[in-house]
């Protein structure tokens, strides 16, 4: 590669790092004069790279959004960061189409210098995960972007949705926000047809179309809090009510917001966040057998208000633990 061509690519890399770069700064980094910088900028523009000139005291050059993706220049550490992000995103389910994630990783790996590729291979070979990669149903990229745009501009959106029982419906949604939780994408908002707030899995939305008009986001919990609250209050087989003596932090360590709701009786102004007190905890669960070990692990005084079946399971666990403790 000739030195002028190499300097043009270096100029592109500097501009891609963000912000406005003055001519003097670029000339110093490239080791050339100001008029040479301007000539290199003209070469990038001839290649359809959207470089724009910024006038004024702190003017210079910057990249503007273009109609196509220009050649992307990444440093060694940046390339490693992108590839590791793709690996982590696939394992956590925070991707859209799996094929797109794999082809993006392949394109970056194909152009990595050999010494960087060796470092990456060594890291991936040495890297171990404590959990198995889960199989996630990823959302359609077009749906995800359309809903995100509707959230940003507070526009209603028409969605075609398939629930967990396979029932299909078309709804008008006023989306408040998008939430990533436990490897899945969710959108929470006002379901206009139902007249109530709802949370929908984005991978179950087949189509999303922005509608005319706008809406105001109501005051209240943030989107993430709405999603967690929805999980904790969803309809399941058993409704459980407990009283636990401890701090909210101690209880949340075993019963997070996605599982249980806490009810505090003291006024917020009089409440000491670090003080232990009796708190009412409510859960809705399909099975009860996992709760006694969790309550034992809390190591806090508790009482079961309902259901009676849970009391029996707690007593049975206590008997088994006592029997094991007496065993020689």
């Amino acid at each position: 590669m000739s030195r002028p061509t190499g300097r043009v690519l270096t100029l592109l890399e500097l501009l891609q790092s963000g912000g406005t770069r003055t001519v003097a700064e670029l000339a110093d980094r490239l080791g050339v004069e100001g008029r040479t910088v301007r000539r290199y900028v003209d070469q990038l523009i001839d290649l359809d790279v959207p470089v724009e000139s910024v006038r004024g005291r702190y003017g210079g050059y910057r990249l503007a959004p273009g109609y196509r993706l220009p050649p992307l220049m990444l440093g060694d550490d940046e390339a490693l960061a992108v590839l590791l992000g793709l690996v982590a995103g696939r394992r956590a389910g925070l991707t859209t189409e799996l094929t797109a994630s794999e082809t993006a990783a392949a394109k970056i790996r194909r152009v990595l210098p050999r010494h960087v590729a060796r470092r990456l291979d060594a890291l991936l070979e040495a890297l171990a995960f404590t959990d198995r990669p889960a199989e996630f149903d990823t959302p359609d990229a077009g749906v995800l972007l359309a809903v995100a745009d509707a959230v940003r501009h507070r526009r209603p959106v028409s969605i075609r949705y398939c629930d967990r029982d396979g029932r299909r419906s078309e709804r008008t949604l006023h989306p408040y926000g998008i939430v990533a939780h436990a490897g899945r994408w969710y959108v929470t908002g006002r379901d206009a047809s139902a007249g109530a707030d709802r949370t929908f899995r984005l991978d179950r939305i087949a189509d999303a179309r922005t509608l005319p008009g706008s809406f105001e986001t109501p005051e209240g919990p943030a989107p993430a809090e709405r999603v967690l609250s929805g999980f904790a209050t969803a309809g399941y087989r058993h409704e459980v009510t407990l009283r636990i003596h401890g701090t909210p932090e101690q209880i949340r360590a075993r019963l997070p917001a996605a599982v249980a709701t806490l009810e505090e009786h003291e006024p917020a102004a009089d409440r000491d966040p670090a003080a232990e007190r009796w708190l009412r905890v409510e859960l809705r669960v399909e099975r009860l057998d996992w709760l006694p070990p969790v309550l034992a692990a809390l190591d806090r005084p508790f009482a079961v208000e309902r259901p009676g079946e849970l009391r029996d399971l707690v007593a049975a666990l206590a008997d088994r633990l006592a029997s094991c403790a007496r065993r020689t």
Side-chain angles (χ1 to χ4, degrees):
M1 184 183 298
S2 64
R3 291 183 61 83
T5 303
R7 291 196 185 104
V8 171
L9 293 177
T10 302
L11 171 62
L12 176 59
E13 183 178 3
L14 291 171
L15 294 175
Q16 285 181 338
S17 63
T20 300
R21 302 279 185 157
T22 66
V23 174
E25 177 187 2
L26 293 172
D28 180 65
R29 295 290 297 273
L30 296 173
V32 297
E33 297 181 353
R35 63 175 179 269
T36 305
V37 171
R38 297 183 181 90
R39 187 169 71 249
Y40 290 164
V41 168
D42 290 338
Q43 293 181 35
L44 289 176
I45 294 174
D46 289 340
L47 294 171
D48 290 332
V49 177
V51 182
E52 64 180 15
S53 176
V54 180
R55 298 181 178 276
R57 180 180 178 183
Y58 300 103
Y61 295 103
R62 66 186 179 196
L63 282 185
Y67 68 89
R68 66 180 181 87
L69 185 68
L72 186 62
M73 306 293 293
L74 294 176
D76 294 353
D77 291 340
E78 291 171 331
L80 285 174
V82 171
L83 285 169
L84 289 176
L86 289 171
V87 171
R90 286 202 302 267
R91 290 189 63 93
L94 300 182
T95 58
T96 51
E97 299 174 7
L98 182 61
T99 303
S101 177
E102 291 176 342
T103 56
K107 286 179 180 179
I108 296 176
R109 292 196 65 152
R110 192 176 301 120
V111 297
L112 283 179
R114 289 183 180 178
H115 72 283
V116 180
R118 286 196 296 268
R119 289 173 60 196
L120 175 66
D121 290 338
L123 174 59
L124 293 179
E125 288 175 8
L127 181 62
F129 293 90
T130 57
D131 59 342
R132 295 181 179 180
E135 293 293 332
F136 297 109
D137 296 320
T138 56
D140 178 79
V143 168
L144 180 63
L145 294 175
V147 173
D149 187 70
V151 170
R152 183 175 190 180
H153 297 98
R154 297 193 295 276
R155 299 282 299 277
V157 61
S158 174
I159 62 173
R160 287 193 292 114
Y161 191 71
C162 180
D163 66 16
R164 61 183 178 184
D165 296 322
R167 293 189 296 265
R168 300 180 182 277
S169 60
E170 186 162 341
R171 303 164 183 262
T172 297
L173 179 68
H174 295 174
Y176 303 154
I178 295 173
V179 178
H181 172 70
R184 298 199 186 279
W185 297 86
Y186 299 88
V187 56
T188 182
R190 185 79 171 175
D191 184 346
S193 56
D197 288 349
R198 292 286 188 270
T199 294
F200 300 97
R201 270 176 47 177
L202 275 164
D203 61 277
R204 291 178 175 165
I205 297 178
D207 181 56
R209 294 179 293 105
T210 304
L211 300 175
S214 63
F215 65 90
E216 292 296 326
T217 304
E219 297 292 333
E225 296 175 13
R226 292 177 185 271
V227 170
L228 294 178
S229 176
F231 288 140
T233 58
Y236 290 104
R237 182 179 177 184
H238 300 283
E239 294 187 0
V240 178
T241 303
L242 309 165
R243 284 183 291 110
I244 302 177
H245 191 266
T247 65
E249 290 73 20
Q250 291 170 333
I251 297 172
R252 286 296 186 212
R254 299 289 179 177
L255 297 170
V259 173
T261 60
L262 300 184
E263 182 180 342
E264 304 183 47
H265 299 287
E266 300 176 35
D270 303 330
R271 188 186 307 150
D272 180 359
E276 295 183 2
R277 54 193 178 277
W278 286 99
L279 298 174
R280 185 181 299 275
V281 181
E282 294 187 347
L283 307 86
R284 287 175 170 82
V285 297
E286 280 295 312
R287 295 167 46 203
L288 295 172
D289 55 352
W290 62 272
L291 265 175
V294 171
L295 295 174
L298 267 175
D299 195 25
R300 306 302 311 161
F302 69 89
V304 178
E305 292 190 359
R306 63 171 179 169
E309 183 183 350
L310 179 58
R311 296 194 195 97
D312 297 337
L313 291 173
V314 171
L317 175 62
D319 290 341
R320 291 197 301 272
L321 293 176
S323 176
C324 292
R326 290 191 296 266
R327 192 174 298 160
T328 59

